[in-house]
Amino acid sequence: MIDWYPVARKFLFHLEPEQAHDLALRQLGRLHDLGLLRHLVPAQVADPCEVMGLSFPNRVGLAAGLDKDAAHIDALGSLGFGFLEVGTVTPQAQPGNPRPRMFRLVRERALINRLGFNNDGLDRFLAQVQKRRWRGVLGLNIGKNATTPIESAAGDYLRGLDAVHAWADYVAVNISSPNTRNLRLLQQEQALDALLHALRARCDQLDRGRGRRVPLLVKIAPDFEDDGVVVVARALLRHRIDGVIATNTTVSRAQVQGAMHAAEAGGLSGAPLLEASNRVISSLRQALGPGFPIIGVGGVLSADDAAAKMRAGANLVQIYTGLIYSGPRLVRDAALRIRDATPTVH
Ligand SMILES: Cc1cc2nc3c(=O)[nH]c(=O)nc-3n(C[C@H](O)[C@H](O)[C@H](O)COP(=O)(O)O)c2cc1C
């Protein structure tokens, strides 16, 4: 199949990044509705595996934030991913930060964003999720509104969990965006303990009520000091959390010093994040032991990067920025490389 993405990318990269993002998703949706998309993208790689009691067709998923309102599930589901994660959704709709708030660091194959959870809120999010036809593994990622004081954050997450539980294959609790003030304080021991205790209890209750166990995952940052990762790992075990997603974007600029847009505030994603994110995954694997599910994300721009993430200790891999720079072909290449590198006993 001809790789048409480099041509599309050339055009899209002439547009302002957020405009390009919206246009690309709209066009993808159109192509899907016309029944053309499946002729334009490589077929899904078959590498079936079980993680957290869920059956995945392959180990490469879409990371949260690309489809915040769950408005493009069917189109994105036909790009060959083994699973999709949509959101972050907050209880109430909110506009996010003023534009511009997304920047391309092209040479570095990176992005900086400070979107700030712009989204249409839970009700519209759920309406979209319920409309979907795609039947693959779907993770729903929940967050807190910017106006909710951090001391009341648990209330927002509980509202999110209550609302999405019936529709999610797994729920991801995002406490690691750098663009919502103080959000990352929830990764500190005491606050994390209180939050995870409340979420675990509520999720158990919802699971019992529906007779279905929905895995509860926590998404963490790459920016920890000292033994911060170990503190988080212990809390995950203590509260019987089902998995961890590592990592979100970084606030560090060490890898992009002097680059265009490097001084913009926000979270850095893409190639410069790979090593830091892999270090966190390795530390998590060491602290959590061999059986604990880890979804590795951050800086996968090539099939080799995906394989490196698995070697660092991930069970599944997600992609966001790599899709912008390399296109849908990366999904197939990464899934194939992982399949070829993983022993058949999964
Ligand atoms: C523009 C943009 C928006 C994002 N929004 C979210 C979000 O809403 N929720 C979330 O959990 N992660 C969000 N992320 C983080 C990604 O899911 C991912 O963790 C991070 O970008 C690292 O992966 P990558 O290097 O493959 O992009 C966002 C990333 C980008 C680039």
Side-chain angles (χ1 to χ4, degrees):
M1 178 172 291
I2 309 166
D3 188 10
W4 48 267
Y5 188 74
V7 177
R9 188 186 116 155
K10 214 167 198 161
F11 170 74
L12 289 168
F13 275 28
H14 277 109
L15 303 175
E16 188 276 325
E18 208 173 334
Q19 255 185 330
H21 179 94
D22 294 345
L23 179 71
L25 281 176
R26 271 202 310 277
Q27 293 307 329
L28 207 62
R30 233 168 248 159
L31 288 169
H32 177 265
D33 293 346
L34 292 169
L36 297 174
L37 193 56
R38 62 198 150 90
H39 302 296
L40 293 170
V41 296
Q44 186 181 55
V45 171
D47 180 21
C49 61
E50 281 238 344
V51 183
M52 304 179 292
L54 300 171
S55 300
F56 294 82
N58 67 54
R59 293 180 191 262
V60 177
L62 175 72
L66 194 132
D67 188 9
K68 287 181 187 274
D69 293 315
H72 303 279
I73 294 176
D74 291 337
L76 291 166
S78 54
L79 298 186
F81 287 110
F83 62 111
L84 301 180
E85 188 175 316
V86 294
T88 297
V89 62
T90 57
Q92 307 295 335
Q94 60 178 32
N97 290 317
R99 297 186 188 206
R101 53 192 183 175
M102 204 196 290
F103 306 88
R104 285 187 207 100
L105 287 70
V106 178
R107 274 193 187 191
E108 290 71 24
R109 295 183 300 153
L111 297 171
I112 290 176
N113 92 82
R114 52 169 179 269
L115 295 174
F117 291 166
N118 55 309
N119 78 104
D120 290 343
L122 267 176
D123 291 347
R124 292 183 65 177
F125 179 85
L126 281 182
Q128 295 287 6
V129 168
Q130 289 161 24
K131 248 180 33 192
R132 82 189 192 278
R133 295 225 206 99
W134 181 77
R135 289 290 148 204
V137 176
L138 184 65
L140 304 182
N141 180 308
I142 56 175
K144 73 172 267 299
N145 277 114
T147 50
T148 305
I150 201 69
E151 307 77 48
S152 321
D156 277 15
Y157 286 104
L158 288 169
R159 273 187 70 184
L161 178 59
D162 282 343
V164 304
H165 181 276
W167 306 99
D169 289 311
Y170 71 82
V171 176
V173 178
N174 181 6
I175 50 170
S176 50
S177 165
N179 302 314
T180 295
R181 206 161 66 89
N182 289 338
L183 191 75
R184 288 181 170 193
L185 295 179
L186 297 174
Q187 298 181 134
Q188 292 179 2
E189 193 164 12
Q190 268 195 332
L192 188 60
D193 252 332
L195 179 66
L196 297 188
H197 177 76
L199 286 169
R200 180 71 272 169
R202 182 70 60 89
C203 196
D204 284 347
Q205 193 187 344
L206 292 165
D207 286 351
R208 276 196 301 275
R210 297 209 165 90
R212 183 172 81 98
R213 213 181 130 64
V214 178
L216 185 63
L217 286 80
V218 174
K219 182 161 178 180
I220 67 169
D223 308 312
F224 285 100
E225 278 167 24
D226 307 324
D227 63 347
V229 180
V230 177
V231 167
V232 169
R234 287 196 189 123
L236 297 174
L237 292 172
R238 210 164 36 245
H239 296 284
R240 296 179 294 109
I241 299 303
D242 299 285
V244 59
I245 306 172
T247 67
N248 215 310
T249 56
T250 178
V251 293
S252 164
R253 295 294 183 269
Q255 304 297 316
V256 293
Q257 273 178 15
M260 180 129 110
H261 301 307
E264 293 291 348
L268 173 71
S269 60
L273 175 59
L274 182 70
E275 264 185 44
S277 152
N278 285 358
R279 270 199 301 274
V280 169
I281 293 168
S282 301
S283 306
L284 284 171
R285 178 52 74 213
Q286 209 174 356
L288 293 166
F292 196 95
I294 299 177
I295 301 183
V297 50
V300 173
L301 275 283
S302 70
D304 284 347
D305 300 338
K309 248 197 201 335
M310 297 293 289
R311 280 199 304 277
N315 303 90
L316 300 162
V317 164
Q318 287 178 329
I319 295 172
Y320 186 141
T321 307
L323 194 65
I324 312 296
Y325 280 95
S326 308
R329 188 179 205 149
L330 174 61
V331 180
R332 178 184 169 78
D333 290 350
L336 275 177
R337 181 67 58 86
I338 289 173
R339 182 177 76 180
D340 295 344
T342 315
T344 40
V345 195
H346 291 315

